[in-house]
Amino acid sequence: MRKYLFLVFVLIGCSSSEVVKTGKNLETKNEKYLLLKGANLYSLGRKGEALEIYEEILKINSKNSIALREKAIIEGQLGNITQAEQDLTNALLLNPKDYLTLKNLSYLNFEKRNYSKSSKYLKSVPKDFMDDQDYFILGYIEFLNGNYLNSLKYYENIEDDGIFNNSLFFDSYLNNLERIDNLKKDSYLKIEDKIKYSKVNTIKLSNFYSLLLRKDEYSERVLKNYLVYNEIDRDIVEKLISIYYKNGNKIKEKEALNLILN
C-alpha cells in the first residue's frame, strides 16, 4: 500500500498482509489485531479512524514501532508535519533497521529541503528495497551537489514514465546530460521513449539536441516520435520545418508544411 503525503513524493506504509509478516514479535495478540484493523481502515480511506487505532495501540505499548510509523504517515497527510517527523524519528530509534521508516524520513526531509539528511537516511536502505522514487531523490541531490555523473548513475535506474515527465527530474536530467560527454545513444533513446506523450518535454529535448548538442538529426527524431504517438501539433511541426529550412532540405520542409496546411 502506498500512502500519498507530499506533492512530489510518496510516504510508504505497510498493508495488512505486511502487518502479518512484521507483527511476529509484537508483545500481544491484541496489538497485532489492531494493526490489521488500522491498515484496513486506512485502505478504505478512513484515516481518522485508523489514526485512533494506532493511538490506541501506542497506549497499550508505546514502543510499537509499526504503529508509530503508520501514525506518522497519517499525521503527515493531515498536515501535522512536525508530529509526523517526531513519530518517525522515535520509530527509527525503536527499530533502526526498518527501511520503511528510513525511506519516510528521507522523503519528509527532502520536502523540507534538508538534502543531507534525506540522502543519509535513504543511503541506509538496502538496494533490494530501493525503487524509482528513491533513485530520483538520490540522483537529484547529487545533481544539486554538482555531482552530475553520479546523478546520472542513479537516474539510469529509473523506469517510471511519470518520473521522467516530472519537471524537477527532467530539467535536472537534461542539465546532467549537458555536462557529461560521450553518452551512449541508448541513453537518449530511453528518454525519448519515456516522454513521447509530453509536448513540453519533447520541445525541451528538441531544443537541447539542436542548441546544445548541435545534433539536428536527434531533434528531428524526437519531434517525429511525438507525432507518431499524438495528434498533429502545429508547434511540433513548425519546429520540424525550422530544422529542414536551416539544413536546406526543401523536400522535407514542404512535406512538414503540408501536415498543418491540409
Side-chain angles (χ1 to χ4, degrees), residues 206-222:
S206 171
N207 290 337
F208 173 79
Y209 284 156
S210 289
L211 302 177
L212 294 173
L213 296 188
R214 301 191 182 281
K215 290 185 177 292
D216 285 338
E217 67 274 19
Y218 284 17
S219 183
E220 177 188 8
R221 185 179 67 216
V222 72

Side-chain angles (χ1 to χ4, degrees), residues 95-113:
N95 187 358
K97 294 184 178 181
D98 180 9
Y99 76 90
L100 287 176
T101 300
L102 286 165
K103 282 190 173 194
N104 289 325
L105 278 167
S106 174
Y107 303 159
L108 188 149
N109 277 281
F110 189 94
E111 290 292 336
K112 292 173 62 178
R113 300 187 181 182

Side-chain angles (χ1 to χ4, degrees), residues 148-162:
Y148 307 115
L149 186 57
N150 285 342
S151 177
L152 276 179
K153 287 179 179 178
Y154 282 122
Y155 281 173
E156 284 174 358
N157 292 289
I158 298 173
E159 297 294 337
D160 186 346
D161 290 10

Side-chain angles (χ1 to χ4, degrees), residues 123 135-158 173 176 180:
K123 286 181 178 179
Y135 290 119
F136 180 173
I137 291 175
L138 289 173
Y140 190 75
I141 292 172
E142 289 295 313
F143 163 74
L144 292 176
N145 290 332
N147 302 321
Y148 307 115
L149 186 57
N150 285 342
S151 177
L152 276 179
K153 287 179 179 178
Y154 282 122
Y155 281 173
E156 284 174 358
N157 292 289
I158 298 173
Y173 203 160
N176 284 335
I180 305 297

Side-chain angles (χ1 to χ4, degrees), residues 167-185:
S167 60
L168 193 69
F169 168 82
F170 194 69
D171 291 348
S172 63
Y173 203 160
L174 290 187
N175 271 281
N176 284 335
L177 294 179
E178 182 181 349
R179 292 166 170 83
I180 305 297
D181 296 325
N182 302 321
L183 283 179
K184 296 178 181 178
K185 185 180 179 182

Side-chain angles (χ1 to χ4, degrees), residues 122-136:
L122 204 47
K123 286 181 178 179
S124 298
V125 175
K127 288 185 178 180
D128 289 346
F129 296 108
M130 298 279 283
D131 58 26
D132 285 2
Q133 176 172 277
D134 304 330
Y135 290 119
F136 180 173

Side-chain angles (χ1 to χ4, degrees), residues 25 83 85 97 107 131 145 153 167 197 203 244 262:
N25 297 321
Q83 185 64 54
E85 184 172 16
K97 294 184 178 181
Y107 303 159
D131 58 26
N145 290 332
K153 287 179 179 178
S167 60
Y197 296 109
I203 291 175
Y244 298 144
N262 294 334

